[in-house]
Amino acid sequence: MHDASELVLARLPSGVPVRTTVHVYGEGGLAEGPDGPELDVPADGGPVVYAQAAQHGREVNGTAVLRRLHERLTGGDPTTADAADLGGTLVTVPVADPLTFDRVSYTTPESLDATHSNMNRCWPGDDGGTLHERMAGRLWRFASAADSIVDLHTGSPAMLTHTVYMRGDEECRSLAEAFGTDLLLAEAAGDEADAEWSERGFAGKLRVAATRERIPAITPELAHSREVVPEAVEDGLKGTLGVLRREGLLPGEPESWDGTVARNHLGRVNAAESGLFTPERDLAVGDEVAEGERLGVVHDPTTFEPLQTATADRDGIVYSIAREGTVTAGATIVGVAERLEK
């Protein structure tokens, strides 16, 4: 069974509604509520998985993943099972933030939401809050009804595909392993997380809000933004199918995982000055680097003066490199993830 409906997330100052579409597959469906469609799952309907994409509108590979998954479940791919065969309910939202999607942007302009320009900083949302808070709040009604959550994101072209989960939460870890990327990045949890999120302004991430409500959640970061890349889509589709197997919606078990776990958000090498960044010629994502190892140089583009020789602040794995050239002071130029375990 497949059901889909238009969902009004919020309204612009002109009264124009901000719309997206919610899809439901398997045992559950959609019922008309006072504010539009609501999730309707029978009491014995099995587990519920919520997956969304394009919280950040330039991150389009997740949307392509959910389209491919839709084709598999609804007969577009004749080699796969129909959605009626799912042993539970799958809810998907291919475009979580239509405002940034239309602008091919990461955030909305200040004129639309001066408080929360980034939708992934205001979960679980607020039905009476700012524009993004209202949008998150409307989607949270679906996400909070789930037994697990997959929030599909996309990094830069020079980023190693990875999955972020909450450190110390075995359900989140198991979900991340089921998704199957070679690299898992563990974020702080508990009291440590409260301090880190407050420092970085990350307390309103969907993954954090969900985990605090004891809903296992992961954030896969597929490589490449602004373009649909077949390899990234294939990785995302394979990972999402692994999650559905782990949750019992599809038969079988996810593939066994044998990758690397590293610490997320530590070891970010930042630009000390604005300028042009040139990474070392042989530096590549996935490289192992040692503390003090040279990573590249920031130059003044007008005088050619070297402003900074960037070095690794710890031993670790290079998972992102700024290859766009122009950098501003404080921006991350190389991400180095500190290895925690095999």
Side-chain angles (χ1 to χ4, degrees), residues 116 118 120-123 193-205 208:
H116 295 291
N118 185 341
N120 203 25
R121 299 294 182 270
C122 62
W123 294 85
D194 289 337
E196 183 168 322
W197 300 152
S198 177
E199 270 181 35
R200 296 180 176 272
F202 284 179
K205 287 188 174 185
V208 177

Side-chain angles (χ1 to χ4, degrees), residues 30-54:
L30 293 166
E32 192 60 31
D35 300 322
E38 302 287 350
L39 184 62
D40 182 20
V41 178
D44 58 349
V48 178
V49 174
Y50 174 86
Q52 69 171 34

Side-chain angles (χ1 to χ4, degrees), residues 14-335:
S14 63
V16 172
V18 181
R19 297 185 175 96
T20 192
T21 300
V22 59
H23 297 261
V24 179
Y25 307 84
E27 298 290 337
L30 293 166
E32 192 60 31
D35 300 322
E38 302 287 350
L39 184 62
D40 182 20
V41 178
D44 58 349
V48 178
V49 174
Y50 174 86
Q52 69 171 34
Q55 261 206 92
H56 302 133
R58 69 189 185 191
E59 301 177 11
V60 294
N61 280 295
T63 302
V65 167
L66 295 183
R67 177 184 61 79
R68 288 277 306 279
L69 183 61
H70 172 83
E71 291 174 349
R72 288 180 68 103
L73 295 176
T74 59
D77 182 343
T79 66
T80 59
D82 187 86
D85 296 327
L86 286 179
T89 299
L90 170 65
V91 181
T92 73
V93 179
V95 179
D97 190 343
L99 297 176
T100 55
F101 193 90
D102 287 345
R103 295 173 58 86
V104 196
S105 64
Y106 189 76
T107 58
T108 60
E110 183 179 352
S111 58
L112 290 178
D113 195 332
T115 306
H116 295 291
S117 61
N118 185 341
M119 185 177 177
N120 203 25
R121 299 294 182 270
C122 62
W123 294 85
D126 181 350
D127 290 342
T130 67
L131 191 66
H132 266 154
E133 285 178 326
R134 290 170 188 246
M135 293 167 63
R138 189 67 185 89
L139 291 175
W140 181 248
R141 299 185 201 179
F142 293 91
S144 61
D147 297 293
S148 60
I149 292 174
V150 179
D151 185 18
L152 293 163
H153 283 252
T154 300
S156 66
M159 174 178 281
L160 192 64
T161 296
H162 60 272
T163 302
V164 187
Y165 74 97
M166 282 293 193
R167 186 178 184 183
D169 189 309
E170 290 307 312
E171 288 295 302
C172 289
R173 168 66 182 266
S174 177
L175 204 63
E177 289 187 7
F179 196 88
T181 56
D182 289 337
L183 177 64
L184 305 186
L185 293 186
E187 286 192 317
D191 293 339
E192 184 186 356
D194 289 337
E196 183 168 322
W197 300 152
S198 177
E199 270 181 35
R200 296 180 176 272
F202 284 179
K205 287 188 174 185
L206 172 57
R207 182 177 64 258
V208 177
T211 305
R212 285 176 172 166
E213 292 296 320
R214 301 189 181 280
I215 305 171
I218 57 173
T219 304
E221 291 276 1
L222 307 172
H224 296 279
S225 289
R226 298 186 179 89
E227 62 176 331
V228 175
V229 177
E231 293 80 8
V233 175
E234 191 62 37
D235 286 343
L237 177 62
K238 181 180 177 182
T240 306
L241 291 171
V243 167
L244 294 182
R245 293 188 181 98
R246 187 257 185 194
E247 294 297 289
L249 272 71
L250 289 176
E253 297 292 329
E255 293 181 10
S256 60
W257 180 82
D258 183 26
T260 299
V261 178
R263 181 72 170 84
N264 195 32
H265 291 306
L266 293 180
R268 291 189 171 211
V269 180
N270 296 328
E273 301 287 345
S274 300
L276 287 178
F277 175 61
T278 305
E280 291 297 288
R281 187 182 299 274
D282 58 351
L283 185 67
V285 293
D287 283 356
E288 297 271 358
V289 294
E291 180 180 357
E293 186 172 332
R294 177 171 162 141
L295 303 176
V297 179
V298 178
H299 287 89
D300 183 317
T302 61
T303 66
F304 315 125
E305 173 191 3
L307 303 174
Q308 175 192 4
T309 298
T311 59
D313 66 340
R314 66 193 63 227
D315 298 349
I317 304 162
V318 174
Y319 71 94
S320 70
I321 304 171
R323 294 202 181 278
E324 289 81 2
T326 305
V327 297
T328 55
T332 302
I333 50 180
V334 180

